[in-house]
Amino acid sequence: MRRVVVTGYGAVSPCGLTAADSWSALREGRSGIAPITLFDASEFTTRFAGECKGFVPENYLPKRDVRTMDRFIHLALACALETVTSAGLREDGDEAFKQRVGTLIGNGIGGLAYLEAMSTVIREKGPSRITPYFIPGTIGNLAPGQISMRFGLKGTSYTTTSACTSGAHAIGDAFRAIARGELDGCVAGGTEAAVTPLSIGGFNAMRALSKRNDAPAEASRPWDKDRDGFVCAEGAGMLFLEEREHALQRGATIHAEVLGYGSSADAHHITSPAPEHEGAQRAMEAALRDARLNPSQIDYLNAHGTSTPIGDALELVAVGKTFGDHARSGLWVSSTKSISGHMLGAAGGFESVVAVLALRDGVAPPTINLHTPDEAVHGFDLVPHTARERKLKYVLSNSFGFGGTNGSLIFGKV
């Protein structure tokens, strides 16, 4: 099997419109959560979210093209531009290489805002007024499709749709494709733009969202006794993965190595994790086997940690079973969703970027808003309130989703 490295990355998030700005906010514990401005949320139970504030799609693609696609594709194209640029790839670059570069971009929901808008059009103006761009502007695979066309990437192109594990699965699939020799490179990650009336209303109907409208920045509080649900967010996060020898030959900067990937299904419930989150445990154990690492070698774990009453506690149970004594005697665990909110299908991509930057800088970003830890936290070091520095060699990132889908990725320092 061939070695796979990270030579580029990008991010658009509630914390910043670039990877650098997002990372600075995470290190400083500056929340990206604020009242919703993308639509009038005054009648909703939850009136705040993580929006990519100041994002202007016309800065990344021609104005005439903006109206032909949903916001999740806008975010994907902006993120891909940063990713490809940081990897040092030129638009007029090696054509033979481009034929072996894939685009695998996870997305949980697709073009929900565009769907809502066209629903209004057909109801108020009739079917003849539906734009011909509606379908290609809405379906999930047009995020990787538009990226592949924009940069001339002709390797395999598809979207993974597995709820909040979508981005992690896309990176895992890309890792395996390059390791097996099916691709030489890949833009991989996730994108999501689900801060819309139907999304917020739907999650409210499930009683899944925090209702802390009086203090949005304090609403996402993984493992805190007072947590009352997750905070919906939008954004995108991507890596450029590349076969190691090819990266060395072209003189690319190698930021990290992808070492392991594990996935599993709970086969239990549409929203609740399996007892003791045993599916998460199996995903982490599979990633460790794939990386040929012992649990004690992992220095930092970026948890799924969404700020839900059941999920947070059970994830720590699974971490405890996977890592044994090391879980409480050397492993740092934190949830950056406390700062960014939950980007759903983009979360695994964004948090993989976080894992790479944590390795690069030797910094574990904090879990903010952890004022009164619940009983499940006993003995775990959740890096509360303030980022912490030390040499990091191996980092694991977790992503879990509705339907009992689980994914774990391990990155190593080079």
Side-chain angles (χ1 to χ4, degrees), residues 63-75:
K63 186 175 182 178
R64 68 180 183 276
D65 293 339
V66 170
R67 70 173 188 266
T68 70
M69 59 189 78
D70 185 85
R71 185 174 173 90
F72 85 100
I73 303 178
H74 300 160
L75 295 170

Side-chain angles (χ1 to χ4, degrees), residues 74-337:
H74 300 160
L75 295 170
L77 285 166
C79 186
L81 177 61
E82 182 183 15
T83 303
V84 168
T85 301
S86 73
L89 300 181
R90 302 193 318 272
E91 291 187 43
D92 61 349
D94 185 347
E95 179 63 25
F97 178 50
K98 285 187 176 183
Q99 291 187 12
R100 292 181 54 78
V101 175
T103 48
L104 305 187
I105 308 299
N107 176 253
I109 296 178
L112 197 53
Y114 213 174
L115 180 65
E116 292 177 34
M118 287 302 103
S119 177
T120 300
V121 167
I122 193 171
R123 184 173 62 252
E124 296 181 354
K125 300 180 180 180
S128 64
R129 299 297 297 274
I130 296 174
T131 173
Y133 296 109
F134 168 53
I135 297 299
T138 303
I139 56 178
N141 79 294
L142 258 292
Q146 289 283 4
I147 292 169
S148 70
M149 289 183 281
R150 170 67 177 79
F151 300 103
L153 308 179
K154 298 181 179 180
T156 188
S157 174
Y158 61 84
T159 191
T160 51
T161 299
S162 45
C164 304
T165 317
S166 300
H169 282 157
I171 291 173
D173 282 2
F175 163 58
R176 286 179 174 169
I178 296 170
R180 290 193 300 254
E182 298 168 7
L183 295 171
D184 289 331
C186 193
V187 179
T191 185
E192 196 82 87
V195 182
T196 75
L198 269 180
S199 174
I200 299 300
F203 282 125
N204 270 154
M206 296 176 66
R207 301 180 181 179
L209 296 181
S210 170
K211 298 180 286 293
R212 200 178 293 270
N213 293 301
D214 57 339
E218 299 174 16
S220 185
R221 44 181 59 218
W223 302 299
D224 190 271
K225 280 186 177 179
D226 295 326
R227 65 190 183 276
D228 66 335
F230 77 88
V231 176
C232 189
E234 63 175 0
M238 299 175 193
L239 301 175
F240 189 78
L241 304 185
E242 191 169 350
E243 192 271 323
R244 180 177 179 272
E245 293 307 312
H246 186 278
L248 292 172
Q249 288 172 11
R250 72 179 184 91
T253 299
I254 296 176
H255 303 287
E257 183 170 3
V258 189
L259 296 172
Y261 168 52
S263 62
S264 70
D266 289 352
H268 173 68
H269 189 270
I270 58 173
T271 58
S272 295
E276 299 189 333
H277 222 327
E278 63 86 22
Q281 180 181 347
R282 286 187 286 110
M284 287 185 280
E285 290 173 346
L288 287 163
R289 287 194 302 271
D290 196 31
R292 298 182 181 180
L293 292 175
N294 296 317
S296 61
Q297 291 178 271
I298 302 297
D299 301 303
Y300 167 61
L301 190 154
N302 188 293
H304 185 60
T306 60
S307 188
T308 55
I310 296 175
D312 289 3
L314 289 182
E315 183 174 6
L316 288 186
V317 171
V319 170
K321 287 180 172 292
T322 302
F323 290 91
D325 292 342
H326 180 58
R328 293 176 172 84
S329 63
L331 179 67
W332 289 354
V333 181
S334 74
S335 172
T336 47
K337 290 184 182 72

